[in-house]
Amino acid sequence: MATHQPEYSRENVSGTIIGFWTPEIFHGVSVAGYHLHFISDDLTFGGHVMDFVIKEGMIEVGAVDQLDQRFPVQDRQYLFAKFNVDEMKKDIDKSE
């Protein structure tokens, strides 16, 4: 479960952060707010970014104006699954 994901920290490491921002109205389809991941230049350290301080860098921004989401409609387990949406929201909030 994502609520028990390990957390690691490093200082003085260079690399790339990539992510996206999702409006609150789309929380559930994605994670509302910023969702960032990191990979070090030497590819030995990375993962989900919870917090960071940057000394210097370059920022590139691009707009995403479309979301294409597909569902496994041929999967009977998916079609008849009973999802607890409130519990899923709590799990997302805990892990993010």
Side-chain angles (χ1 to χ4, degrees), residues 17-38:
I17 294 175
I18 187 166
F20 51 89
W21 176 82
T22 302
E24 182 72 32
I25 193 169
F26 293 110
H27 187 68
V29 173
S30 184
V31 177
Y34 289 98
H35 188 93
L36 307 173
H37 288 89
F38 174 81

Side-chain angles (χ1 to χ4, degrees), residues 15 30 33 37 40 53 57 67:
S30 184
H37 288 89
S40 64
V53 175
L67 172 67

Side-chain angles (χ1 to χ4, degrees), residues 69-86:
Q69 188 165 6
R70 307 206 178 194
F71 301 97
V73 296
Q74 304 302 321
D75 182 340
R76 291 185 58 76
Q77 273 189 306
Y78 170 80
L79 288 175
F80 296 102
K82 301 292 184 214
F83 294 105
N84 184 330
V85 176
D86 291 332

Side-chain angles (χ1 to χ4, degrees), residues 35-89:
H35 188 93
L36 307 173
H37 288 89
F38 174 81
I39 186 70
S40 64
D41 286 341
D42 65 6
L43 307 179
T44 62
F45 182 73
H48 192 184
V49 176
M50 304 302 283
D51 190 19
F52 66 96
V53 175
I54 187 169
K55 290 184 180 178
E56 65 178 88
M58 179 177 61
I59 296 174
E60 294 183 32
V61 178
V64 176
D65 63 355
Q66 181 175 319
L67 172 67
D68 181 17
Q69 188 165 6
R70 307 206 178 194
F71 301 97
V73 296
Q74 304 302 321
D75 182 340
R76 291 185 58 76
Q77 273 189 306
Y78 170 80
L79 288 175
F80 296 102
K82 301 292 184 214
F83 294 105
N84 184 330
V85 176
D86 291 332
E87 193 65 34
M88 289 188 329
K89 287 179 183 177

